[in-house]
Each structure stands twice: as structure tokens, then as C-alpha cells.
Amino acid sequence: MKALSDKCSLLTYLWLHKPLNESIGRVCSGGELSLIRKGEIVVSRGFVLAKSAEMSVGGVIIRGNVMIAESDKVWHSANFSERESVVLFVCEKTESERFLSPAGGVVECYEQAVPREAERRYRDLSVSGEDYLCPEFIGRMESHMSALLKTRMLVERLSDKCAHLRKLKEDAKGGDSDMAVAALFDTVMISSTANRKLFGELSAAIGFNRIVASLITGDKEADKVSIEALLFGTAGFLTLGALDEEDDYVYMLRGIFERLKKGHGITPIQYGRWNRASYRNNTPDLLIAQMAALLCDAKPLYHRLCECASLADLKKLFTEPPSRYWRTHYALGKSCGEVSTGHLISKEKTDRILINFMLPFVFDRQRHDYGEEAEEFDIVEMFEQIPAEKNAIVNKYDAHTKVVSAFDSQAFIQLNKRYCQENRCWQCPVGCAYMSGQ
């Protein structure tokens, strides 16, 4: 759903490109208006606030918020704090009186005549609301300009993902090791929203330092079985009557989990909440077994990630297959012909985890160690080594410009989700370039 109308978005673009310290017109009371400081742009319900802006109105300096709206009618629906704006910037003829503030302050109204060429170009940016001009415009860009744009979008996307990692750490109420486990479980399941939420609950329930670390003995195969028992039991898969078919392996896991459950006070997730209607190579059972293999190491996942210096190092973390049971099973109690890979986590899932968790983690560590001066080309080079994702968004761009790697696809996904879908052409580098006639 669009946060702003096209008119309001266009007005915001025009506001951000007003010249400073020059007369830009007159307010309703007749005084000359010039802009001293544009303020911080914040999107609200159907309008925009330029917070902490400074203007000169008839030679008098006014400091405060600027409300940018399609019509001054929106003023009446704003709450009290938003009504403290000092300038109302609208494109239609104002219908209210000049003295609008319930607190007794004066609100100056400024009417902006929108240039026809600017309105035409802005309308071109989104012909139908879904068919955006951006892919075609990017396809006409010079290669170095396109590379700069994609680098900027990738850095923005990584920054968003890093913020998500910090939120996961906060929700985990633990340390970095708990965050790493939470992020791993958050990124392994994308296709099922319900199961993704349950994987999040599972990671919160086990807590790396609290339980998983206590199960590591150095015997890889035995440790995998112990961690599988913890994960499957906590997920509710080992609850009596949950599975249609059981075998000796299920009985063994249940016995191990019963001891862990008593020792750590674990409350299993209700098994009936899981969606198990998945392809054989993507069942929740297999994903849990694969996660157990990733956690089966004397060093916590977080510390192993910190030691990785290249994409090849990160990929080595995925070389440990699940326990032997999964060579001939695709779910608990469900056998299949022997799988030559031992159901090692697939390249597709590996790429998904690298893109959504591990590379953002590396980026965050670089920023932590080196600040904003961290070299961006290192992370760009890693993304360039991963094949591009294929989805409806990426396909729109692929029709006009080459989408070869995750560097391309992640940049275009960010551009579409954070600018096109949110109707933020006024902030988008592509939209601004087109509006300026470049």
C-alpha cells in the first residue's frame, strides 16, 4: 500500500530540490519565503514532515516542522504535535484561514505551482503503480553509473539486514552466539511463513550457550544425534502420537530429549502448528537435521563466522552433512533410497543463508572494526560470486539489464522494495536522476 499520493511525493521531491537562501515564492500572508534548512524528512499518514527546518518568511526566521501535503485538508486530521508545524506546503489552493494552530501559533501557508514537466516525468516513473520505469531507465545507464547505483542499493540492503540481526539478538535476550543461532534459523526457512516463525521460536527455546554448547563432546556423529534430539524434541516432533510412523531412531531421540527436557525445563512447541507439506528435499525435518550439523562444533557458530576471511571460508561451514540416519530418510520415520550427498545442505539453501545472514554479518563486522571507511568492494566481490536469485522483482530488471549475480539481484530487490513499492521516487536515486532529466 502506498504511504503517499503521487502529488505529495512530487511535492516532497520539489521541496528537497529547492535552492537555499533564495526566494522561492510568497506565503498566503504575502511575505517572501526562502529556505534556510530543509530539515529531516519523515513520512506520516498521507503527508510528509520536514522536521527542524528553518525558513525566512518576510525577513523573519521561523524554525520548526514543515508539513508537505497534497491539500491543506490533511491539516484537520493531524494530531496536536503535528499541528505545531510552522509552514503548510500544498499544491492546491488553500481552503483554511492563515491562523490554523490550536495552540495560538501562526501557520504560514505556501502554495506550490507544480511545473508540468516535473509532473509528467513523475507520472512516467510509475505508469500503473506496478509497472515501473526504473528497470528500463537503468538499462540505459552507463555501466559505471549502474555499478555505483547497485553498490549503494546493496549497502542499504545490508544495513537493513544488519538492523534485523541486531533485533534478533535483542529478541534472543542473549549474547552473540544466541544471535548467530537465531539468524541461522531465521534464514533457513523462507517459503513457509508459519514455519519460519516456528524456527524463530525454536532458536529462542534452545539458546546456544544455555543448552547446545553443553552437548558438544568432540564425537561428531554422537554430537549430531544429541543436538537433533534437542531440536526435534523442542520442536514437538518427538511428542507421543505426533508422527504417523516411528522407528528405532525416533525412540532413541525421544529418550535423549526426555533427559534434556527435565534438566533444562524445556516446553516443546505444539507439533500441529508445523506445516509439513514440503518437497522431500525441503521438509522441516531435513532442515532441522541440517541445522544440527551446522551447530555441531566445539566452537560456537559466531566464533567460526568471525574467523572467516573469504566466501570460500564461509562455504566450508556447510560441508558437514547431517547424521547417518538422513542418508536414507527425508523425514523422521520416512525412509527413502540412499542419498549420495547424505542430504548435505543444498547449494541453493547455502546461498540463501549466505545472502540473508552470513554476508550481512561479515559486513557488520567490517563496519564495526573499520567504521564507515570499510572497503565496500570486498563485500561486493563476495556477492558477485553468488548466482542471482530468481523472482518476479528480479525478472522485471533482467528484461532490461543483465542480472548475473546476487550483487545485481539484491540491489534491485532493495530498489524495488524500499523505493518503488513505498512510492518513494522523491528519495530514489533513479527517480531523482530521471526527474532531473539525466
Side-chain angles (χ1 to χ4, degrees):
M1 182 179 180
K2 291 184 177 181
L4 300 173
S5 68
D6 286 341
K7 244 176 206 180
C8 189
S9 296
L10 175 54
L11 283 168
T12 306
Y13 169 83
L14 294 173
W15 175 263
L16 290 173
H17 289 79
K18 292 287 182 188
L20 294 177
N21 301 313
E22 293 181 18
S23 174
I24 58 174
R26 291 182 177 274
V27 294
C28 293
S29 59
E32 288 282 344
L33 175 66
S34 60
L35 185 57
I36 300 171
R37 184 176 183 275
K38 296 177 182 179
E40 177 190 357
I41 296 295
V42 178
V43 178
S44 192
R45 300 176 307 279
F47 60 90
V48 167
L49 286 180
K51 291 193 169 183
S52 303
E54 285 189 31
M55 293 138 289
S56 172
V57 179
V60 177
I61 302 298
I62 298 179
R63 298 179 179 87
N65 299 337
V66 174
M67 178 183 282
I68 304 172
E70 182 175 339
S71 166
D72 62 343
K73 291 178 183 178
V74 75
W75 172 265
H76 301 291
S77 64
N79 65 35
F80 182 83
S81 63
E82 286 159 348
R83 289 187 177 196
E84 294 172 357
S85 302
V86 294
V87 170
L88 184 64
F89 180 54
V90 298
C91 66
E92 297 178 353
K93 186 171 179 60
T94 53
E95 299 178 8
S96 305
E97 296 295 329
R98 178 184 174 218
F99 296 96
L100 296 170
S101 174
V106 174
V107 177
E108 297 282 4
C109 297
Y110 169 63
E111 298 170 2
Q112 166 71 54
V114 179
R116 287 187 178 181
E117 177 63 13
E119 192 169 11
R120 182 191 69 77
R121 283 183 172 271
Y122 202 89
R123 189 169 55 247
D124 287 347
L125 284 171
S126 177
V127 178
S128 67
E130 294 182 1
D131 297 326
Y132 298 98
L133 178 80
C134 302
E136 181 182 344
F137 186 70
I138 293 170
R140 298 197 303 264
M141 280 184 174
E142 295 182 9
S143 58
H144 73 282
M145 293 299 295
S146 176
L148 287 173
L149 167 70
K150 287 186 283 188
T151 299
R152 172 178 168 178
M153 289 297 103
L154 178 63
V155 169
E156 279 192 21
R157 186 150 182 82
L158 286 169
S159 298
D160 287 349
K161 290 181 184 295
C162 290
H164 182 59
L165 291 180
R166 288 189 284 274
K167 178 67 166 55
L168 288 173
K169 181 177 179 179
E170 181 182 326
D171 293 344
K173 296 181 175 63
D176 292 322
S177 293
D178 298 286
M179 177 277 292
V181 173
L184 178 65
F185 278 69
D186 181 68
T187 54
V188 71
M189 172 55 72
I190 301 295
S191 57
S192 169
T193 303
N195 283 356
R196 186 176 184 183
K197 181 181 178 182
L198 291 171
F199 270 104
E201 291 182 24
L202 179 57
S203 70
I206 62 172
F208 187 88
N209 288 326
R210 188 161 58 88
I211 307 176
V212 177
S214 66
L215 301 178
I216 304 299
T217 64
D219 182 335
K220 283 277 188 181
E221 195 62 27
D223 292 346
K224 289 175 192 176
V225 173
S226 297
I227 297 175
E228 283 181 25
L230 171 65
L231 297 183
F232 281 117
T234 306
F237 285 51
L238 302 179
T239 306
L240 287 172
L243 302 177
D244 296 331
E245 301 175 43
E246 296 188 357
D247 52 27
D248 291 343
Y249 192 72
V250 174
Y251 297 144
M252 179 178 66
L253 293 182
R254 184 178 290 138
I256 297 171
F257 177 68
E258 286 303 317
R259 294 192 293 272
L260 293 172
K261 179 180 175 182
K262 291 178 183 178
H264 297 280
I266 300 170
T267 301
I269 296 169
Q270 291 182 350
Y271 178 74
R273 294 173 60 197
W274 288 90
N275 174 13
R276 299 189 72 203
S278 304
Y279 294 111
R280 282 196 172 195
N281 62 349
N282 198 43
T283 63
D285 310 56
L286 265 182
L287 291 176
I288 289 174
Q290 289 164 347
M291 294 306 95
L294 278 170
L295 298 177
C296 180
D297 196 279
K299 284 186 180 179
L301 177 62
Y302 173 81
H303 295 292
R304 284 182 280 155
L305 282 171
C306 290
E307 293 173 353
C308 292
S310 66
L311 188 66
D313 291 340
L314 290 169
K315 288 184 175 181
K316 285 179 183 176
L317 300 177
F318 298 92
T319 56
E320 191 65 45
S323 64
R324 293 189 185 94
Y325 178 81
W326 298 99
R327 296 177 186 177
T328 54
H329 291 78
Y330 66 92
L332 289 175
K334 303 286 186 181
S335 62
C336 62
E338 185 164 352
V339 179
S340 59
T341 63
H343 274 134
L344 186 70
I345 191 165
S346 70
K347 184 178 181 300
E348 181 183 6
K349 290 178 196 169
T350 298
D351 290 343
R352 180 198 305 161
I353 296 171
L354 287 168
I355 289 170
N356 292 297
F357 161 41
M358 292 187 173
L359 290 184
F361 174 87
V362 170
F363 177 77
D364 199 40
R365 291 292 300 175
Q366 288 178 343
R367 286 292 173 93
H368 178 270
D369 294 340
Y370 305 108
E372 295 297 322
E373 294 75 30
E375 296 288 354
E376 292 170 353
F377 65 82
D378 288 340
I379 200 73
V380 167
E381 185 179 325
M382 290 185 184
F383 272 92
E384 286 179 332
Q385 296 175 54
I386 300 174
E389 302 105 301
K390 297 298 181 183
N391 55 46
I393 292 175
V394 174
N395 290 342
K396 287 183 180 181
Y397 291 88
D398 199 26
H400 299 279
T401 184
K402 289 183 179 180
V403 181
V404 178
S405 68
F407 168 58
D408 306 308
S409 57
Q410 283 290 295
F412 293 142
I413 289 171
Q414 178 73 7
L415 183 66
N416 186 275
K417 288 190 172 181
R418 291 292 178 262
Y419 294 94
C420 298
Q421 291 184 22
E422 295 182 8
N423 195 29
R424 291 171 59 206
C425 300
W426 47 276
Q427 281 185 315
C428 173
V430 179
C432 290
Y434 182 75
M435 287 293 296
S436 64
Q438 294 180 16

